């Protein structure tokens, strides 16, 4: 059993990334979820992180220029 | 067999040509994903285009080193990251000090302190696309490579470890630290400038 210790919010902060990456053990999930159920401070920050990841991904994805696709196809071995 | 049989030989060549065509088609189907990742590994669109072309030229050339049935995406992205490391490390002036990251709540706390309390989704919207792109570019290479592979390339930790040829524990620690560095950069870009 993981003990949240004297500063449960700090412990919960440490679990944020592995929690969202689905890397925690079942025990750790249960503990994080129990804390999140009762702590609005951490819940807000978890929600924010989830939204942030989606938002960052959308912001940094840039689609490939169509001409490049043709250039790549031209690199193929001639038949 | 002492003599080479012409028909067997011809059949072998035809089979190899078909396998090669199939391989090239499969690799080309991944080009959108390759570009998206490449674009964030380097600073400019031109560099990204060069890097992707080099990657494909090398992939087509060394197709025999791919073992059919194994992870083609990982094989291809390994070529990409190796080429990038070869060229990138030449240009990169290694920063003397790594940025010191804050905890995972840091960005939210800064944004909240700056703009009062509101809905979490609205807080995110205060970050502009340019600020996010710039902040990611500021994250040092070793950390950024992992973030880009996992968060944009959708690779598992295991695949990222294989691609970068580093232990999975290193993938995890670089990913976690890298995301914290990113959030610190975002906090500085937004709150730092306005405040
Ligand atoms: Zn808490």
């Amino acid at each position: 059993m993981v003990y949240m210790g004297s500063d449960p919010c700090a412990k919960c902060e440490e679990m944020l990334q592995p929690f969202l990456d689905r890397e925690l053990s079942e025990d750790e999930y249960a503990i994080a979820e129990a804390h999140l159920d009762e702590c609005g401070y951490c819940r807000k920050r978890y929600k924010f992180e989830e939204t942030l990841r989606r938002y960052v991904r959308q912001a940094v994805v840039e689609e490939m220029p169509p001409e490049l696709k043709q250039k790549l196809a031209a690199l193929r071995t001639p038949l | 067999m002492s003599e080479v049989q012409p028909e067997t030989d011809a059949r072998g060549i035809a089979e190899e040509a078909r396998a090669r065509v199939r391989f090239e088609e499969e690799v080309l189907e991944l080009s959108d994903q390759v570009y998206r990742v490449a674009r964030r590994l380097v600073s400019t669109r031109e560099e990204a285009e060069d890097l992707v072309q080099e990657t494909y030229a090398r992939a087509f050339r060394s197709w025999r080193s791919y073992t059919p049935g194994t992870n083609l995406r990982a094989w291809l992205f390994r070529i990409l990251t190796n080429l990038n490391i070869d060229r990138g490390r030449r240009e990169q002036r290694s920063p003397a000090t790594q940025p010191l990251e804050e905890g995972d709540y840091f960005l939210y706390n800064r944004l909240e302190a700056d703009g009062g309390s509101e809905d979490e989704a609205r807080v995110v919207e205060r970050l502009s696309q340019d600020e996010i792109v710039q902040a990611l570019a500021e994250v040092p290479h070793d950390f950024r490579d992992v973030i880009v592979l996992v968060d944009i390339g959708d690779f598992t930790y295991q695949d990222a470890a294989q691609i970068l040829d580093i232990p999975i524990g290193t993938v995890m620690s670089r990913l976690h630290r890298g995301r914290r560095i990113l959030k610190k950069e975002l906090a500085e870009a937004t709150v730092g400038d306005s405040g």
Side-chain angles (χ1 to χ4, degrees):
Chain A
M1 231 12 202
V2 185
Y3 172 56
M4 284 296 257
S6 59
D7 190 349
C9 294
K11 178 72 194 159
C12 197
E13 181 175 3
E14 276 173 37
M15 295 204 278
L16 170 72
Q17 291 199 47
F19 183 100
L20 293 178
D21 286 335
R22 303 181 189 288
E23 279 175 54
L24 293 180
S25 69
E26 273 181 37
D27 279 356
E28 289 169 324
Y29 268 116
I31 284 163
E33 273 160 4
H35 179 74
L36 289 169
D37 274 346
E38 64 186 25
C39 179
Y41 175 89
C42 287
R43 205 162 51 235
K44 267 191 165 184
R45 282 150 184 81
Y46 268 58
K47 192 92 189 63
F48 170 77
E49 180 80 11
E50 231 184 342
T51 316
L52 177 70
R53 284 194 188 183
R54 259 201 317 276
Y55 197 73
V56 167
R57 189 190 164 99
Q58 279 172 15
V60 303
V61 164
E62 198 176 294
E63 296 306 336
M64 170 158 70
E67 320 84 71
L68 180 57
K69 206 166 248 192
Q70 287 157 15
K71 285 184 197 163
L72 297 181
L75 294 171
R76 289 179 71 164
T77 319
L79 285 174
Chain B
M1 224 174 271
S2 58
E3 270 174 70
V4 178
Q5 299 198 333
E7 301 105 89
T8 323
D9 216 34
R11 202 177 307 140
I13 290 167
E15 264 167 33
E16 187 179 88
R18 269 196 301 277
R20 184 168 192 152
V21 166
R22 214 178 311 123
F23 165 85
E24 289 179 348
E25 278 164 5
E26 282 176 33
V27 162
L28 281 172
E29 275 168 25
L30 298 170
S31 62
D32 290 299
Q33 301 175 40
V34 172
Y35 181 79
R36 269 181 231 144
V37 166
R39 181 64 191 90
R40 293 302 157 219
L41 294 178
V42 299
S43 352
T44 68
R45 190 172 301 164
E46 289 70 31
E47 283 176 274
E49 292 192 20
D50 286 351
L51 180 58
V52 171
Q53 290 193 68
E54 279 178 53
T55 301
Y56 272 82
R58 184 174 290 187
F60 289 152
R61 228 173 25 240
S62 53
W63 75 289
R64 278 193 183 82
S65 77
Y66 169 69
T67 313
T70 60
N71 190 336
L72 181 64
R73 275 183 87 221
W75 181 86
L76 185 62
F77 278 77
R78 184 161 184 170
I79 296 179
L80 174 77
T81 54
N82 280 341
L83 282 171
N84 181 49
I85 287 166
D86 288 349
R87 54 188 269 153
R89 298 301 183 254
R90 261 182 272 132
E91 313 159 7
Q92 190 196 4
R93 64 267 181 264
S94 219
T97 51
Q98 300 290 358
L100 208 66
E101 78 269 26
E102 305 280 347
D104 270 308
Y105 288 169
F106 179 69
L107 177 60
Y108 184 87
N109 292 344
R110 286 287 292 273
L111 290 170
E112 193 191 42
D114 189 51
S117 59
E118 47 187 326
D119 184 77
E120 303 79 35
R122 302 301 304 276
V123 175
V124 170
E125 284 165 14
R126 253 189 280 151
L127 306 164
S128 77
Q129 183 178 3
D130 284 351
E131 281 165 347
I132 295 174
V133 167
Q134 191 51 42
L136 180 61
E138 297 291 332
V139 175
H141 279 290
D142 285 349
F143 300 97
R144 194 181 351 136
D145 290 354
V146 182
I147 296 180
V148 169
L149 285 174
V150 172
D151 286 350
I152 302 172
D154 288 322
F155 281 105
T156 62
Y157 294 174
Q158 189 61 60
D159 286 344
Q162 196 199 326
I163 291 167
L164 296 169
D165 202 18
I166 54 177
I168 195 162
T170 309
V171 167
M172 281 152 93
S173 63
R174 285 187 191 172
L175 184 64
H176 293 181
R177 277 202 64 196
R179 289 188 186 132
R180 284 191 196 124
I181 294 170
L182 175 64
K183 281 186 271 189
K184 184 160 185 274
E185 295 289 346
L186 282 171
E188 279 166 14
T190 54
V191 184
D193 288 350
S194 63

